[in-house]
Amino acid sequence: FDTQPERSTAARCSKFIIFKMAPVRQRAGARAPPGAVPSPQPADGVPSSESEPSSSSETETESQSIEAEAEAVSWQWPLMLASVLATCGSAVMIPFRQGRLDDLGCTKLCLGAVQSSRSALQLIGSPALGRFSDVYGRRAAYTVSCTGNILSLVLFAMTNSIPGLFLMQVPQALLSDLFGVSKAVVGDHTPPNDAGLRSAVLGKLGAATGVGLMLGPALGGKFLADRYQACAVGIVANLLVLVAVSFLPQAPHMIRKDSGSSVADPSKQEGRAPWLRRGLAAAAENGRRIVALGRSASPAVQLLLVLRFSLSLGFHIFNVSFMPSLKARFDMGPKDFGAFMGVVVRSTTHY
C-alpha cells in the first residue's frame, strides 16, 4: 500500500477535481511557493509563457495518470466481483455433491467417467465460446456461461439417475467458461506491451477465484440444508454475475471511432453465422499445434509439456478419489465437507 497520503488514489483524484474546477490563474498562483513574487501579467490578462509549459506538462501528466488509474478501477472491480460470485455459486454445491452421488450409487469409476466426459466436451465448448465471445462480445459470452451454469445446477438438483449426472455436464461444459471470458476481458483492457499490468490483473483474478472457492463450500455447508437450497443460491449468484458485468466499460479498441458504436474484434466483420464452425476449427487447430510442438520443440519444451500433462493427470486422478475417500473414512456430511473444503482452499490460496 502507498503510505504517503498525498500519493493515494483518493487524494490524487481530489486534487484532479480541484484542478479541473479552479480557474487557470488560481491554479498558477497556487503552485507558487510561499513568499514568492508572482510573475508579472500582461495588460490583457494573458499569463506569462515562461513558467507555463513546465506547470502545464506536470499537470497534464498527473491528470493522465489519475485518469488511467480511474479507468483501471472501473473495469477491474466488476471483473473481480463477477469471478467471486461465479465461483461461489458453483462451489456452494460441493458439500452436497458426494452425498448425492452415494444416493445414486455412483462409484469412483462412475465419477471418473462423468468428469472425463465433461473434459471431453470442454475441448469443444471452450474454443467455440471463445469464438462466440469475439463475435458477439464479452457480455454476451458471460450471459451464455451463466446460463450454462444455471442449467447444470438445476439438472443436478433434479436428477434421480446416473444418466442424469452425465446430462448435467453438457450445459456447463459446452456453454460455460467464465474464467476464459474473464481473461479475454483482461486482454481487452490492458495494452499489448504492458505484460506487468496483465500479469498483475490475472493474479488478482486468480485470487478472486480462490476467495469464491473458499466461501462457497463454507457457506453452503454452514447455512444451507439441502441441494435444492444450494441450487437456488447458485442461480442467484449467477444472476448477480450478470449484474456485475453490466458495469464493465467497453474496451477502447472495441469502439468505432467514426460513429462511436460498439463493435467487437475486427474478425467479427468476417460474418457471424459460422462462429460455431470456426470455434470447432480452432479446437482442432489447437490440438494440431500441441502435437506439432511436442514433435519439433526442443527437449526442454518437451519436458515442460510432459510435466504439465503429468501434473494435470495426477490432480484429476486424485480429485476423483479424494471426496469418496473422505466420505468413506470419516463419514463426512455436508457441514463437514463445507468446513473442510473452505480450510483447504484458504490454505492453498494463502500460500
Side-chain angles (χ1 to χ4, degrees), residues 1-350:
F1 295 98
D2 197 344
T3 57
Q4 301 181 13
E6 68 275 11
R7 293 181 61 84
S8 64
T9 302
R12 296 180 68 185
C13 290
S14 300
K15 290 169 61 178
F16 177 69
I17 294 173
I18 295 174
F19 166 78
K20 288 295 185 181
M21 297 179 62
V24 176
R25 296 180 185 178
Q26 185 177 354
R27 290 202 306 269
R31 289 184 174 274
V37 179
S39 58
Q41 300 290 337
D44 56 359
V46 179
S48 176
S49 59
E50 296 180 357
S51 61
E52 185 67 21
S54 60
S55 61
S56 62
S57 61
E58 293 176 2
T59 303
E60 183 179 358
T61 302
E62 183 177 3
S63 63
Q64 290 177 353
S65 177
I66 295 173
E67 290 175 355
E69 291 179 3
E71 181 182 358
V73 172
S74 68
W75 65 267
Q76 287 185 26
W77 76 263
L79 188 66
M80 303 307 163
L81 180 60
S83 299
V84 173
L85 290 172
T87 312
C88 186
S90 298
V92 74
M93 192 68 81
I94 290 178
F96 308 96
R97 185 181 67 177
Q98 189 57 47
R100 187 57 181 164
L101 294 176
D102 292 340
D103 293 339
L104 296 176
C106 185
T107 62
K108 293 180 182 179
L109 180 60
C110 168
L111 179 59
V114 169
Q115 293 192 357
S116 296
S117 65
R118 173 191 173 93
S119 299
L121 291 173
Q122 284 179 330
L123 291 176
I124 301 173
S126 295
L129 183 64
R131 181 60 191 172
F132 179 90
S133 175
D134 292 338
V135 173
Y136 291 95
R138 310 307 182 201
R139 293 176 185 171
Y142 273 112
T143 302
V144 173
S145 295
C146 290
T147 302
N149 287 339
I150 291 173
L151 290 176
S152 291
L153 288 170
V154 172
L155 289 174
F156 180 76
M158 303 302 295
T159 186
N160 292 312
S161 63
I162 290 180
L165 295 177
F166 287 90
L167 181 62
M168 63 161 284
Q169 304 297 325
V170 175
Q172 193 171 36
L174 289 181
L175 302 179
S176 180
D177 187 14
L178 286 171
F179 192 74
V181 178
S182 298
K183 289 194 295 184
V185 172
V186 174
D188 291 340
H189 288 271
T190 53
N193 57 352
D194 196 346
L197 176 60
R198 189 181 304 107
S199 300
V201 179
L202 289 176
K204 295 178 184 178
L205 190 63
T209 303
V211 170
L213 285 174
M214 178 182 67
L215 293 178
L219 294 178
K222 180 70 174 177
F223 298 105
L224 303 180
D226 51 36
R227 67 181 187 277
Y228 299 106
Q229 293 183 5
C231 176
V233 172
I235 291 174
V236 172
N238 279 275
L239 293 177
L240 291 177
V241 169
L242 298 180
V243 175
V245 299
S246 67
F247 290 94
L248 280 173
Q250 195 72 25
H253 70 279
M254 299 178 71
I255 300 178
R256 185 179 299 168
K257 295 182 180 180
D258 55 352
S259 62
S261 60
S262 173
V263 297
D265 177 76
S267 59
K268 173 182 177 180
Q269 307 301 327
E270 299 174 2
R272 296 190 173 200
W275 65 267
L276 178 59
R277 186 187 64 202
R278 290 175 181 166
L280 298 178
E285 180 63 23
N286 290 338
R288 286 193 294 268
R289 288 181 179 179
I290 293 175
V291 173
L293 180 63
R295 292 177 177 177
S296 61
S298 63
V301 175
Q302 292 178 348
L303 177 61
L304 290 177
L305 290 175
V306 171
L307 289 176
R308 180 67 181 89
F309 175 79
S310 301
L311 288 173
S312 180
L313 179 64
F315 171 79
H316 286 90
I317 292 175
F318 174 77
N319 189 35
V320 169
S321 60
F322 180 56
M323 301 290 280
S325 176
L326 292 178
K327 177 69 174 177
R329 295 171 60 190
F330 304 106
D331 193 24
M332 283 189 171
K335 294 184 182 296
D336 302 321
F337 273 117
F340 179 77
M341 293 303 297
V343 171
V344 169
V345 175
R346 179 180 180 183
S347 302
T348 55
T349 303
H350 177 72

